[in-house]
Amino acid sequence: MEPCAFCAVVADPDRARVVHEDADTVAFFPLTPATWGHTLVVPRAHSADLWEMTGAEVGRLMDAVLTVGVILRSVLAPEGMNVINSAGRAATQTVFHTHVHLLPRHSGDAMGDFWPPRRAPRDEAALDGLAERLRAAGLSSGR
């Protein structure tokens, strides 16, 4: 098994530019930031992705994401902020230790457009069917 780069940062924070630490998480700048202020927030305990974590662990990670994000917004005053978590190779995950990217954004920055162009028409009947399958599997519509 390959050594985990993010576990190495957790074990030795001097390996990175750490901007925040608490009992459960570490936040630091990636080696190749996509935008000015791009910050990664990782749990101290190794898990490959969010789906391996408990709800309580994810909650603590998201608390740290919110803490760091608020400070990034305060200091950098970006026009926007992407909060990105990728789980699995098909979702472009390259480091298999759960992490959340905070990306302060400005119009015309190097990130460019995040979403693909809209395509029409949508298959409304297929979307209704998928919504019904998800509710039948245990989700609630809130109605």
Side-chain angles (χ1 to χ4, degrees):
M1 188 163 114
E2 283 185 40
C4 174
F6 293 169
C7 283
V9 170
V10 168
D12 181 8
D14 289 338
R15 296 173 65 103
R17 286 189 174 89
V18 172
V19 296
H20 174 76
E21 291 184 78
D22 62 31
D24 301 299
T25 64
V26 177
F28 55 94
F29 296 152
L31 293 175
T32 54
T35 64
W36 182 248
H38 178 181
T39 304
L40 299 173
V41 183
V42 306
R44 288 184 181 275
H46 182 85
S47 61
D49 57 44
L50 285 176
W51 313 116
E52 288 188 359
M53 298 174 71
T54 67
E57 291 168 333
V58 172
R60 290 189 294 272
L61 176 62
M62 290 302 127
D63 284 346
V65 166
L66 186 59
T67 296
V68 173
V70 165
I71 298 299
L72 282 170
R73 287 171 42 102
S74 171
V75 170
L76 298 177
E79 295 172 37
M81 176 98 63
N82 285 114
V83 179
I84 302 171
N85 169 262
S86 300
R89 289 189 197 287
T92 69
Q93 184 179 8
T94 58
V95 177
F96 291 87
H97 181 120
T98 305
H99 57 287
V100 176
H101 296 261
L102 288 167
L103 293 132
R105 299 294 307 273
H106 293 277
S107 298
D109 66 24
M111 282 287 292
D113 290 336
F114 187 75
W115 297 105
R118 291 191 174 127
R119 296 183 188 110
R122 298 184 331 174
D123 185 338
E124 299 297 329
L127 288 172
D128 288 342
L130 177 57
E132 181 56 39
R133 286 177 51 207
L134 293 172
R135 288 189 297 270
L139 296 180
S140 171
S141 68
R143 295 186 227 178

